[in-house]
């Protein structure tokens, strides 16, 4: 019995609402590993919005690739990890992208509060699109039949 997810299962899992953990090469150090909000639709790219000049953005530009891991934090446990190249850098970010991300994670009411609180950061935002090339998955619920 395998606990690996099928392509359809892994894409549906990644499209779910999870806080991702992004890892990027950071020469001379262990990889930079930080929690992020992200957007993903089956067959598409993993989209991460961040400030244009923060460490995460600088490392993604330099490395040209990254990895993202998302998981269930309660039983039955499962995870999807993807790795791939940065295929596009969207700069500037259109206002619809941060709004969609805030609504995805916080809902409309708290999403609007978040957008209002971070409005000064919006002009300094950039979106990185990573194309999933390498997948690692596990669905531990499959152990129980």
């Amino acid at each position: 019995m395998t606990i690996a997810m099928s392509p359809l299962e892994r894409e549906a899992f990644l499209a779910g609402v999870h806080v991702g953990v992004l890892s990027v090469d950071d020469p001379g150090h262990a990889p930079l590993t930080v929690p992020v909000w992200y957007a993903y639709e089956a067959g598409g790219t993993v989209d991460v919005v961040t400030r244009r000049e923060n460490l995460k953005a600088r490392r993604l530009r330099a490395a040209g690739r990254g990895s993202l891991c998302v998981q269930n934090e309660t039983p039955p446990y499962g995870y999807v990890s993807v790795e791939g190249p940065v295929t596009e850098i969207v700069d500037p970010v259109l206002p619809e992208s941060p709004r969609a991300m805030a609504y995805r994670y916080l809902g409309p009411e708290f999403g609007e509060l978040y957008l209002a609180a971070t409005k000064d950061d919006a002009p300094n935002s950039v979106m990185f699109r990573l194309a999933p090339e390498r997948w690692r998955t596990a669905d531990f619920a499959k152990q129980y039949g």
Side-chain angles (χ1 to χ4, degrees), residues 69-93:
C69 184
V70 300
Q71 66 182 3
N72 282 338
E73 294 190 11
T74 57
Y77 297 109
Y79 72 88
V80 167
S81 177
V82 295
E83 172 191 336
V86 173
T87 57
E88 184 179 5
I89 301 172
V90 180
D91 188 0
V93 175

Side-chain angles (χ1 to χ4, degrees), residues 14-92:
L14 186 58
V17 179
H18 304 276
V19 171
V21 177
L22 178 73
S23 291
V24 182
D25 186 43
D26 192 7
H29 305 280
L32 173 67
T33 303
V34 293
V36 295
W37 289 354
Y38 70 95
Y40 175 78
E41 292 182 14
T45 56
V46 174
D47 300 342
V48 176
V49 176
T50 190
R51 293 194 60 153
R52 185 178 290 113
E53 294 302 325
N54 71 10
L55 182 59
K56 184 176 14 181
R58 293 194 317 265
R59 296 281 69 88
L60 280 167
R61 274 191 204 91
R65 64 186 304 109
S67 62
L68 182 87
C69 184
V70 300
Q71 66 182 3
N72 282 338
E73 294 190 11
T74 57
Y77 297 109
Y79 72 88
V80 167
S81 177
V82 295
E83 172 191 336
V86 173
T87 57
E88 184 179 5
I89 301 172
V90 180
D91 188 0

